[in-house]
């Protein structure tokens, strides 16, 4: 029996409006890897490469602070209690940022190490990336998920979402509106996740 995998396509702006003809969809695939404590979720990304803003600097494969100010694809995994969540940001130039949050925008851990490799195809103007997210980074009992993409600068800054906020309800994007996350059968993806991993009391042990 083949391992479970989940495929997602980001094709709307953060407020639910359709993408313009100049925008292109972003694909995200989630699948399990490894066994036991060495297991986790492999996150594969295929996205257009805008090079806007350009490479933020820093070493490829290493965490980069405030990566959300640059060109990224992001995934969020929310616990059943609606409080604890994991945020994974991936950049086409190879930098990444992994944050653990307990309460909306309340970061309790950041710049965690991550196995991540990215490749830019200049001819096709796309980039691909593969990250291996350790199982210990996920909060207890993940039940909801969302994903986003950001590129551009200043007035041309563009925010896209898998599960967007309602059109016309907000004036500014905010990826931490947890009420718009949608269900994910995370136990099917990683069966051992039912026993849970970090919570607000154990997170500092990571």
């Amino acid at each position: 029996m083949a391992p479970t995998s989940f495929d997602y396509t980001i094709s709307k702006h953060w407020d639910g409006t359709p993408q313009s003809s100049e925008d292109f969809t972003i694909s995200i695939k989630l699948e399990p890897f490894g066994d036991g404590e060495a297991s986790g979720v492999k996150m594969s990304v295929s996205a257009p490469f805008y090079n806007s803003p350009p490479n933020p600097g820093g070493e490829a494969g290493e965490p980069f602070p405030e990566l959300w100010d640059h060109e990224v694809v992001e995934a969020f995994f929310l616990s059943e209690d609606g409080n604890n969540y994991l945020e994974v940001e991936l950049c086409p130039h190879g930098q990444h940022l992994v944050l653990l949050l307990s309460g909306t925008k309340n970061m309790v851990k950041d710049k965690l190490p991550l196995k991540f490799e990215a490749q830019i195809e200049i001819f096709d103007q796309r980039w691909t990336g593969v990250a291996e997210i350790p199982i210990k980074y996920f909060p207890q009992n993940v039940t909801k998920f969302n994903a986003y993409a950001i590129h551009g600068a200043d007035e041309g800054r563009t925010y896209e979402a898998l599960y967007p906020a309602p059109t016309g309800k907000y004036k500014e994007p905010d990826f931490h509106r947890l009420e718009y996350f949608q269900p994910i059968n995370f136990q099917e993806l990683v069966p051992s996740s039912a026993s849970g991993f970090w919570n607000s009391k154990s997170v500092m042990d990571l």
Side-chain angles (χ1 to χ4, degrees):
M1 185 175 178
T4 297
S5 64
F6 298 149
D7 294 279
Y8 300 95
T9 300
I10 298 175
S11 59
K12 294 182 180 180
H13 291 295
W14 69 271
D15 61 353
T17 57
Q19 291 177 321
S20 71
S21 59
E22 297 178 351
D23 292 317
F24 300 92
T25 57
I26 297 99
S27 299
I28 297 174
K29 183 175 186 176
L30 304 177
E31 55 190 327
F33 75 86
D35 296 299
E37 293 184 0
S39 67
V41 174
K42 181 188 294 184
M43 176 178 168
S44 301
V45 172
S46 176
F49 176 61
Y50 296 94
N51 198 29
S52 177
N55 193 332
E59 188 174 345
E62 295 296 324
F64 190 89
E66 299 184 1
L67 192 62
W68 55 81
D69 287 334
H70 302 277
E71 182 175 349
V72 292
V73 171
E74 305 182 358
F76 288 64
F77 301 85
L78 178 65
S79 64
E80 186 176 24
D81 64 10
N83 187 60
N84 298 326
Y85 57 111
L86 163 68
E87 177 180 350
V88 179
E89 303 183 13
L90 306 178
C91 176
H93 302 286
Q95 302 89 345
H96 60 77
L97 185 62
V98 179
L99 306 95
L100 308 184
L101 302 100
S102 185
T104 304
K105 296 185 181 180
N106 182 36
M107 183 178 66
V108 291
K109 279 278 189 175
D110 74 332
K111 293 183 282 189
L112 291 168
L114 185 70
K115 183 179 179 181
F116 171 56
E117 294 184 355
Q119 182 173 352
I120 298 170
E121 299 291 344
I122 297 297
F123 181 78
D124 295 327
Q125 288 296 289
R126 293 191 67 83
W127 70 278
T128 57
V130 179
E132 292 188 355
I133 309 168
I135 199 65
K136 65 182 180 180
Y137 288 1
F138 293 90
Q140 288 183 337
N141 300 320
V142 170
T143 58
K144 291 189 176 181
F145 174 74
N146 210 345
Y148 305 95
I150 311 172
H151 67 270
D154 301 324
E155 290 79 11
R157 194 79 167 144
T158 298
Y159 302 84
E160 298 164 316
L162 175 64
Y163 303 124
T167 302
K169 186 168 184 177
Y170 304 98
K171 292 183 178 180
E172 300 291 338
D174 184 344
F175 291 172
H176 296 263
R177 293 182 176 120
L178 307 180
E179 64 270 30
Y180 300 116
F181 287 26
Q182 296 296 317
I184 180 174
N185 190 345
F186 197 76
Q187 237 184 299
E188 183 178 342
L189 188 67
V190 186
S192 61
S193 68
S195 60
F197 299 101
W198 71 268
N199 56 40
S200 57
K201 294 182 180 179
S202 67
V203 67
M204 300 311 295
D205 297 331
L206 292 175

